[in-house]
Amino acid sequence: LHENKFRFLGGIVEPSDPTLEYRVAKEIQEEAGFIETSNYRYIGSFRVDDWRYRTAVDKIMTTLFVCNYIFGHVKPVDTDEIGEAQWFDLNTLTEDMFEKEHIPLYRKLIIADITTS
């Protein structure tokens, strides 16, 4: 990828997944390395204009969660797909840090006024 801004991690829910929170934890580990997280909090859901699915019949419905970082080293697992991975404190995020398709997710996160604990 030739992008210089961030996107939120994401993935596809599998039919065998017991909960969305389970999938969130799995996607974090599949994309950002073995890190332990907890306290998954649902923020909302909406459609994302994902360039990979613009011509597809099925579109993307996104659910946005926040969670707490417990421990582990954040490192992209698939460097062809993800060039860099970072864990951020919510208070340090700004809109200009994100690719345009993910700015609506950022705005939803800020409007939710979530505080980490």
Side-chain angles (χ1 to χ4, degrees), residues 58-111:
D58 296 323
K59 301 300 179 188
I60 297 284
M61 175 63 72
T62 294
T63 56
L64 180 63
F65 285 82
V66 295
C67 62
N68 292 60
Y69 168 82
I70 298 174
F71 67 85
H73 181 68
V74 178
K75 176 180 155 185
V77 174
D78 182 355
T79 55
D80 290 335
E81 184 178 330
I82 299 173
E84 178 182 356
Q86 288 188 30
W87 194 266
F88 292 97
D89 182 304
L90 291 174
N91 297 321
T92 65
L93 298 178
T94 59
E95 185 171 300
D96 64 334
M97 295 169 71
F98 295 95
E99 293 293 334
K100 67 180 180 177
E101 295 86 3
H102 282 225
I103 289 174
L105 287 106
Y106 165 80
R107 289 179 179 161
K108 183 81 169 183
L109 183 63
I110 297 307
I111 290 170

Side-chain angles (χ1 to χ4, degrees), residues 4-33:
N4 58 4
K5 296 185 178 189
F6 289 100
R7 294 179 179 273
F8 291 97
L9 296 177
I12 299 194
V13 176
E14 301 291 335
S16 61
D17 291 340
T19 65
L20 291 174
E21 293 82 0
Y22 171 86
R23 178 48 47 190
V24 170
K26 293 297 278 184
E27 287 299 331
I28 290 170
Q29 289 186 354
E30 287 175 6
E31 295 187 3

